[in-house]
Amino acid sequence: MYNKTIRVGDGVRIISGKARGRILKSPAGRLTRPTLDRTRESLFNILTATSLHDTHVLDIFAGTGALGLEALSRGAKQGVFIDHHTVDLIRENGKRCGFLEQMEILHYDVHRALKQLQGRQFHFIFADPPYNKRLVNDTISDIFHYHLLCPDGLILMEHSKEESIEVHPLYTVIREKSYGKDTRITFIRAYREGV
């Protein structure tokens, strides 16, 4: 689908681990907004206290697949990638990094894909929905409705600063970090009494 519009070398690369330095392909135009290298590096530096080794990760609104591929590069065991538009691109980037055998790519809209994953759980869930489209809280709601987060797992939601995370009894915001003028990453875990 994107063969005529794929570009390489626009700065989207794997930062650390087995596939360090691999340049990822990105579609031309504004269909995707890949998480910038410096933002991803900062995000994964925050996660260094928590081992990614042998974990299962979910990358929602995956775009280029950069977040999930970075996790695989740093030791995650398996990654599931969801994107309705960039399946071929994610597959190509997975091949470039040598992770195709550890990847499952779902070519559905997000709600349907998350419903299909019911019964499976993930240690880390990365989500980067299009900004200001009212998808942030709906996605979090689906994650908890379908019980996709491990009890000690973490959701990392990238969103516009204009969008706030709703207060909910099932989960807790444990950290928020701003990047640039418009981007915020919110760290969310399941509510645990006494913690």
Side-chain angles (χ1 to χ4, degrees):
M1 180 176 174
Y2 289 98
N3 291 344
K4 294 181 181 177
T5 59
I6 286 175
R7 63 182 189 264
V8 180
D10 62 350
V12 181
R13 64 185 173 87
I14 299 298
I15 297 158
S16 187
K18 295 178 196 172
R20 181 180 180 177
R22 299 281 170 87
I23 304 294
L24 304 181
K25 289 187 176 182
S26 299
R30 296 176 174 245
L31 184 62
T32 64
R33 174 191 33 77
T35 302
L36 297 175
D37 282 2
R38 65 180 177 272
T39 305
R40 257 184 308 119
E41 185 168 20
S42 172
L43 173 64
F44 280 92
N45 284 343
I46 293 168
L47 294 180
T48 53
T50 309
S51 175
L52 286 161
H53 186 68
D54 279 342
T55 57
H56 291 249
V57 301
L58 175 60
D59 190 348
I60 307 171
F61 302 100
T64 63
L67 289 167
L69 290 169
E70 186 74 42
L72 290 172
S73 184
R74 293 173 185 241
K77 184 176 183 178
Q78 186 195 29
V80 176
F81 298 76
I82 299 171
D83 203 295
H84 192 61
H85 302 288
T86 59
V87 170
D88 293 338
L89 180 64
I90 295 166
R91 188 174 290 111
E92 174 63 25
N93 283 334
K95 185 176 178 182
R96 283 173 163 257
C97 294
F99 297 135
L100 271 183
E101 291 184 6
Q102 295 169 255
M103 296 171 63
E104 180 180 348
I105 305 166
L106 301 180
H107 184 201
Y108 304 121
D109 70 81
V110 168
H111 178 75
R112 181 177 170 197
L114 294 177
K115 184 176 181 181
Q116 182 177 316
L117 291 171
Q118 187 169 9
R120 295 169 65 178
Q121 289 196 317
F122 300 89
H123 301 94
F124 295 95
I125 298 178
F126 302 97
D128 185 9
Y131 283 7
N132 303 314
K133 300 288 185 186
R134 297 177 171 249
L135 294 168
V136 172
N137 290 295
D138 287 349
T139 301
I140 296 169
S141 179
D142 279 350
I143 289 167
F144 282 94
H145 180 76
Y146 297 120
H147 308 286
L148 301 177
L149 187 66
C150 287
D152 58 348
L154 195 61
I155 299 170
L156 299 102
M157 175 63 72
E158 182 174 338
H159 57 101
S160 163
K161 290 179 183 177
E162 294 178 15
E163 297 176 278
S164 58
I165 305 294
E166 293 173 358
V167 175
H168 197 283
L170 288 179
Y171 53 82
T172 307
V173 171
I174 59 168
R175 182 173 185 166
E176 289 187 316
K177 188 160 174 59
S178 295
Y179 297 90
K181 294 178 184 176
D182 193 39
T183 298
R184 176 174 290 147
I185 296 181
T186 301
F187 297 70
I188 301 164
R189 70 175 179 206
Y191 175 76
R192 289 181 285 184
E193 195 169 337
V195 178

